[in-house]
Amino acid sequence: MRTPQTTDFGPRGLKSAARRVAPISGTHPRVMDGTRIRAERDLRWTDTSLDYAKREDRLLQDRMTTHESTRPPAHRQYCKHTGFCAFFGGRGVLVALAAIAAALLLLAPAQGADEVATCATCHHKQAEELQQSVHIELRCQECHRGPDSYTVPGEDLNAFQMRPPDSNFSFDHGSAFAGKPTRSQVPETCGHCHEDVARMNPYGLRTDQLSRYWTSGHGQRLKNDGDERVAVCIDCHGVHEVLSGRAPQSKTHPFNVPETCASCHGDAALMAEYDLPTEIVDEYRASVHGQLLFEQHDSGAPTCATCHGNHSAMPPGFASVGAVCGKCHAHTSEAFAKSVHEGVDGHHGCVQCHGGGEDRYFHYIERITKPPGLLIQRYAHLLQSEPAPTSQQITEAINPGPKQIIMNAVPSCTECHDDLDEDADLPTIFNLLDQIADAERRYVQTARRLDEVGQGMLLLDSQRFKFEDAKTHLIALAPLQHTLDTDLVAAKVAELNAICEEVSSELDQLEAGLRMRFVALGPMWGFALLFSIVLYVKYKQLRKQHVTPVPGDASIDG
């Protein structure tokens, strides 16, 4: 007779007993049918407590014979000899170890088994650069075509990863793979996306960049002559590490643009083949624009791309240089349009005077006029060594450059002005410079006096506000002189001098009033002193008359 073997009579124990039974004779268990299970369940509930205790002792003996040390939950009690008995029996441990080993062998790739490889599997450096670029969402296939992944034999992939650093390794990427674009293919490759209005609109980028490139000197040589030494997109923007122009480390950041262009235009050997000067790089660095960019770190200063264009890079002709400079110097451009030089054949426009003179390449842009604040600083420095300077000393100290700059440019004027010594136009130019120099002297002298008087006890808000108009007129003289109209310049200088004269006159009046107050204070202080003496004498008299001295009190006079 067989009796069911159970260990727990809680809810889980009942559930487990309903599913399995254990033999008492040591034979292999078997799952009974529904009738047998119900019979065993009824038998268990009809047994006495003593029978329960006997069965528990019997179960404990069976566990000890199979070296069971713990009693697992009822829902995990399986047969001692089959199934998952590795949890309980010694033989089960060996079976479990064998099963685990087999599973590991099945899961581990066989030697030489195929593996799935993407572009990043082999091209680690390029993948990292792409992750740092603005093209982070771009797929390799956008530029190189081909599939997204490849099935590669494991032994080949291991051989590639273990290869020496300098060894060559070839791989068949398939017929759809376009490979590395040639330099002549780069513009069209980039233009495939950058000409797409739908793709560029979310980023606010222009879609005519490729068309502009084909109009540039670089694009024309590439397209017409097949010259792959010219600059293409990747030379300025990078290959995979394309960064935003706002990033400080980007090649197209304003602070880096001159060096980016200099990588080619500063190469003497390369530029010699195109008969282009390399001096333009150093000229730009020394120019007023280069000083603003490199010394004052003004990101708004003009760079190569400002004047020549970025994608449509082309040197502006002399006929259009005024328009190029006029993008920033609008008032100067308007004034120059009124001069006799506007439209004259052979005139070089702005660079005729500002290009540095002979043996220059029109990149050494010099500033003839100086900022008003700089003029005041230079005048203050002059007064430290020369308390009473002459007019010539003041001009040479605050702004010595204008006449020298014009003298450097004069030799290039001989195409129209044959005899410079006899030409009446040259004195006209120097007359303009003298008028402006006189206005600058008057301005710095008035500014100095305003500062000195303001350090005292006088309030000069009205005079300072009025003097700002003089500063405005001085700044206006810079573009106005390009008209070469002496009458216009003289009128503006007269307005500036009138303001300086008015401010100086008011300062004289304020100082005179201050001196009068000091003079008037003398009698007032004298009267106050005399009155104090009289009061003291009267006090002594009254004290002597009305205060009775106390014997032994030395504080009261006798």
Side-chain angles (χ1 to χ4, degrees):
M1 177 179 177
R2 298 179 183 272
T3 59
Q5 180 179 355
T6 61
T7 61
D8 193 352
F9 299 105
R12 292 186 178 181
L14 293 175
K15 189 174 183 181
S16 298
R19 292 198 304 265
R20 347 177 247 285
V21 294
I24 60 175
S25 60
T27 60
H28 290 286
R30 57 189 177 86
V31 178
M32 304 178 181
D33 55 17
T35 304
R36 183 66 175 275
I37 291 174
R38 286 191 297 274
E40 294 292 343
R41 182 185 59 193
D42 296 339
L43 177 62
R44 182 174 68 246
W45 283 106
T46 55
D47 286 342
T48 63
S49 299
L50 182 60
D51 293 334
Y52 294 156
K54 290 181 179 180
R55 283 194 292 274
E56 290 294 333
D57 292 341
R58 181 67 175 269
L59 179 60
L60 181 60
Q61 293 176 3
D62 290 343
R63 286 182 177 177
M64 294 179 63
T65 58
T66 57
H67 306 285
E68 292 180 348
S69 60
T70 59
R71 180 181 179 182
H75 68 282
R76 296 184 66 182
Q77 290 183 10
Y78 288 80
C79 170
K80 292 188 296 181
H81 299 292
T82 61
F84 289 90
C85 62
F87 290 100
F88 305 100
R91 287 182 300 172
V93 174
L94 297 178
V95 175
L97 291 176
I100 294 173
L104 292 176
L105 290 176
L106 291 175
L107 294 176
Q111 182 67 22
D114 292 343
E115 296 188 22
V116 177
T118 62
C119 301
T121 304
C122 300
H123 304 281
H124 307 291
K125 178 182 177 181
Q126 292 81 356
E128 292 176 359
E129 291 176 347
L130 191 62
Q131 288 297 313
Q132 301 298 324
S133 76
V134 295
H135 292 152
I136 185 173
E137 297 181 359
L138 199 67
R139 297 167 50 250
C140 306
Q141 288 69 29
E142 299 282 352
C143 301
H144 301 283
R145 309 292 184 264
D148 292 336
S149 60
Y150 298 88
T151 301
V152 183
E155 55 188 10
D156 292 347
L157 187 59
N158 292 334
F160 172 78
Q161 295 174 344
M162 300 299 294
R163 78 191 189 287
D166 299 332
S167 62
N168 294 326
F169 195 93
S170 61
F171 176 73
D172 183 9
H173 291 80
S175 58
F177 180 67
K180 178 181 178 180
T182 63
R183 292 183 62 84
S184 60
Q185 294 173 339
V186 166
E188 292 292 345
T189 301
C190 297
H192 175 72
C193 293
H194 284 273
E195 279 194 320
D196 189 336
V197 177
R199 296 190 70 168
M200 294 299 104
N201 264 350
Y203 306 100
L205 297 177
R206 301 177 59 159
T207 56
D208 61 344
Q209 295 169 337
L210 179 60
S211 300
R212 286 176 170 270
Y213 174 78
W214 292 128
T215 66
S216 70
H218 303 141
Q220 289 179 9
R221 283 187 175 273
L222 180 65
K223 191 173 186 177
N224 299 332
D225 303 335
D227 187 356
E228 293 192 346
R229 295 174 299 175
V230 300
V232 295
C233 312
I234 58 176
D235 294 313
C236 302
H237 295 279
V239 183
H240 296 93
E241 67 283 7
V242 180
L243 302 177
S244 169
R246 295 184 295 272
Q249 64 272 30
S250 170
K251 292 182 178 180
T252 56
H253 189 275
F255 292 153
N256 301 329
V257 166
E259 296 302 326
T260 300
C261 297
S263 62
C264 293
H265 288 274
D267 187 338
L270 179 62
M271 291 298 102
E273 300 184 24
Y274 298 96
D275 194 25
L276 293 176
T278 57
E279 291 83 357
I280 58 176
V281 177
D282 292 331
E283 285 188 12
Y284 172 80
R285 290 194 179 104
S287 71
V288 62
H289 299 150
Q291 292 173 9
L292 287 173
L293 187 69
F294 295 119
E295 296 178 10
Q296 301 184 25
H297 303 287
D298 184 359
S299 60
T303 64
C304 312
T306 308
C307 301
H308 296 275
N310 40 32
H311 298 91
S312 56
M314 179 69 73
F318 292 131
S320 59
V321 69
V324 173
C325 299
K327 291 190 299 183
C328 297
H329 306 280
H331 295 296
T332 303
S333 179
E334 293 174 1
F336 181 79
K338 301 175 182 178
S339 73
V340 297
H341 290 145
E342 174 66 13
V344 174
D345 294 336
H347 194 273
H348 296 167
C350 306
V351 296
Q352 183 78 47
C353 299
H354 297 275
E358 287 187 310
D359 301 325
R360 296 285 187 177
Y361 297 94
F362 309 114
H363 287 73
Y364 184 61
I365 307 300
E366 298 178 280
R367 180 172 184 171
I368 293 182
T369 57
K370 303 299 181 183
L374 180 60
L375 299 179
I376 295 174
Q377 292 178 6
R378 290 181 174 180
Y379 181 63
H381 182 72
L382 172 64
L383 293 178
Q384 295 177 1
S385 58
E386 190 65 42
T390 64
S391 297
Q392 183 177 356
Q393 289 175 326
I394 296 175
T395 299
E396 291 177 354
I398 63 176
N399 192 10
K403 285 190 176 182
Q404 185 60 47
I405 292 173
I406 295 300
M407 289 302 297
N408 293 337
V410 162
S412 63
C413 302
T414 54
E415 296 180 8
C416 298
H417 303 272
D418 298 330
D419 191 351
L420 297 177
D421 295 331
E422 301 295 334
D423 198 312
D425 294 328
L426 190 59
T428 300
I429 296 177
F430 284 109
N431 183 33
L432 288 175
L433 297 180
D434 289 338
Q435 293 184 53
I436 295 174
D438 178 66
E440 291 175 342
R441 287 195 303 270
R442 191 60 181 273
Y443 176 82
V444 296
Q445 290 172 337
T446 306
R448 176 69 177 182
R449 190 177 177 200
L450 189 63
D451 182 63
E452 291 176 345
V453 175
Q455 292 179 359
M457 60 184 66
L458 294 176
L459 296 177
L460 304 178
D461 293 343
S462 175
Q463 288 71 28
R464 293 184 187 278
F465 181 78
K466 190 175 298 183
F467 189 67
E468 286 296 318
D469 292 338
K471 179 179 179 181
T472 302
H473 290 313
L474 182 62
I475 294 174
L477 281 173
L480 190 63
Q481 65 185 325
H482 293 82
T483 62
L484 299 181
D485 190 330
T486 56
D487 294 336
L488 287 177
V489 173
K492 185 61 67 174
V493 170
E495 292 179 9
L496 185 148
N497 289 337
I499 294 176
C500 292
E501 182 66 29
E502 183 179 356
V503 172
S504 297
S505 177
E506 292 182 4
L507 292 178
D508 290 340
Q509 295 176 9
L510 290 173
E511 286 186 319
L514 183 61
R515 285 193 297 269
M516 289 295 296
R517 287 195 292 270
F518 278 120
V519 172
L521 283 175
M524 294 177 62
W525 281 109
F527 175 77
L529 179 60
L530 179 61
F531 186 72
S532 299
I533 295 174
V534 172
L535 286 179
Y536 180 74
V537 173
K538 186 64 175 177
Y539 163 75
K540 298 291 287 183
Q541 293 175 353
L542 293 175
R543 181 183 180 93
K544 186 175 181 180
Q545 295 175 5
H546 300 286
V547 177
T548 303
V550 179
D553 188 355
S555 63
I556 301 177
D557 297 332

